[in-house]
Amino acid sequence: MDVRPIGIFDSGVGGLTVVREVINAMPLEDTVYFGDTARVPYGSKSKETVTEFSRQIMRFMISKNVKAVIIACNTISSNCYDILSREFDIPIIEVVNPGVESCLKVTKTNRVGVIGTNTTINSHAYEKKLKEKREGIVVYQKPCPLFVPLAEEGFTENAIARLTAETYLRELKDKNIDSLILGCTHYPMLKKTISDYMGKDVNIVDPAAETAHKMKDYLKEHNMSGDDKKAKHVFYCSDNCGRFNEICSKNLGIECRVHKIDIERY
Ligand code: DGL
């Protein structure tokens, strides 16, 4: 048994969609969350910059004595996972492989779409892994960078969100896909808007639940599960805590008081 918390991080509030699934799958585990709200978005930055930011966050997580880390960010997962797992001696679960596996479970036609940030889409991580695991699969990719500020702003189901979805997703709608991977952890906040536009015949694939189960299985296999009767969830961000609190409480249904930290000190 290991009662230390699980560390979870993202560029901002997007990773809370993963925290929600972690709490569902492992209600007895404590968590520590960090959202880099001062430097969001990551998805328009270079791999080098995102790697440097991620190293700071990993050092912060280790200072909080976490037993394992979930990279609740596709941009970091698709660009920096190999580097971080080489450099840090701690179990790390990322979100791209769980997204690929979830998609392969539901697609029947093997015609799928992937949406994500520019830096995720440019890495081709989803496309490569889908093609490695399923011969003949057809993958259409589309970056949707504006979904991130919309989610950070809480504009997830209004007219601006609907128009943005229509503008980005129009070309995917013509491609006859049966599944669409939400390859950015902010996007599940716009799930209803995205799904309404794509139509009920398209499976909307959110990697979060599968990611949480990967962590659960890992902890079980390594005898590292916790048993806190009243699990504690602690949140940190690097700027604009008030906004974070609102979105956090809305998404997790719990009252949260986020602490501000200077991530550049780590
Ligand atoms: N939520 C992140 C992701 O999954 C990053 C979004 C951003 O900061 O651009 O890619």
Side-chain angles (χ1 to χ4, degrees):
M1 195 206 307
D2 188 336
V3 297
R4 291 176 297 162
I6 299 169
I8 306 171
F9 68 90
D10 179 41
S11 61
V13 298
L16 295 172
T17 60
V18 178
V19 175
R20 190 171 53 203
E21 296 301 334
V22 166
I23 294 175
N24 283 341
M26 294 173 280
L28 304 183
E29 296 288 346
D30 291 348
T31 63
V32 172
Y33 184 83
F34 174 72
D36 199 357
T37 46
R39 302 188 294 196
V40 65
Y42 280 18
S44 53
K45 296 184 172 67
S46 67
K47 174 175 174 156
E48 290 69 32
T49 300
V50 173
T51 305
E52 209 33 58
F53 289 175
S54 314
R55 286 187 177 113
Q56 291 172 343
I57 303 173
M58 287 296 294
R59 290 193 282 267
F60 168 70
M61 285 292 164
I62 286 165
S63 79
K64 291 289 158 203
N65 195 29
V66 298
K67 59 184 167 188
V69 166
I70 298 178
I71 305 175
C73 173
N74 290 265
T75 308
I76 302 173
S77 296
S78 56
N79 285 279
C80 322
Y81 170 75
D82 291 344
I83 302 173
L84 297 177
S85 52
R86 260 198 317 274
E87 292 181 3
F88 293 91
D89 187 19
I90 184 167
I92 304 177
I93 301 285
E94 51 79 55
V95 286
V96 174
N97 281 301
V100 167
E101 285 164 27
S102 305
C103 178
L104 294 178
K105 278 183 202 154
V106 294
T107 180
K108 293 202 168 61
T109 62
N110 286 327
R111 296 178 65 82
V112 307
V114 181
I115 54 175
T117 67
N118 280 308
T119 307
T120 296
I121 296 300
N122 290 340
S123 78
H124 297 275
Y126 273 103
E127 190 183 6
K128 281 186 213 147
K129 285 178 197 286
L130 285 161
K131 288 184 173 170
E132 257 165 43
K133 294 199 170 163
R134 174 93 31 106
E135 208 182 314
I137 195 164
V138 180
V139 184
Y140 296 98
Q141 301 196 104
K142 175 77 186 172
C144 305
L146 286 179
F147 284 165
V148 173
L150 289 176
E152 292 283 329
E153 194 52 38
F155 281 14
T156 53
E157 288 177 20
N158 64 10
I160 301 174
R162 284 194 293 278
L163 189 61
T164 309
E166 189 188 326
T167 308
Y168 281 141
L169 302 176
R170 193 176 295 132
E171 68 183 65
L172 286 179
K173 209 171 166 165
D174 294 341
K175 297 289 193 290
N176 213 9
I177 58 174
D178 78 344
S179 305
L180 177 65
I181 300 180
L182 303 182
C184 171
T185 53
H186 281 74
Y187 297 2
M189 294 181 180
L190 288 103
K191 187 171 178 179
K192 184 176 182 319
T193 301
I194 293 169
S195 180
D196 285 351
Y197 181 73
M198 293 305 292
K200 61 176 177 9
D201 294 337
V202 176
N203 304 300
I204 304 296
V205 180
D206 174 2
E210 186 72 24
T211 303
H213 281 282
K214 278 245 149 30
M215 178 56 87
K216 186 177 179 175
D217 292 347
Y218 182 91
L219 295 179
K220 231 190 229 156
E221 269 165 38
H222 293 82
N223 204 16
M224 287 170 71
S225 305
D227 78 336
D228 207 326
K229 299 288 176 289
K230 194 167 181 337
K232 287 179 287 301
H233 305 290
V234 185
F235 300 90
Y236 297 89
C237 71
S238 46
D239 203 4
N240 204 357
C241 298
R243 189 99 206 101
F244 186 98
N245 280 335
E246 259 174 55
I247 296 182
C248 190
S249 309
K250 184 173 158 204
N251 277 277
L252 301 182
I254 54 177
E255 196 57 47
C256 79
R257 268 207 31 237
V258 67
H259 308 274
K260 185 173 167 181
I261 56 146
D262 178 2
I263 194 67
E264 293 185 359
R265 276 188 25 234
Y266 290 86

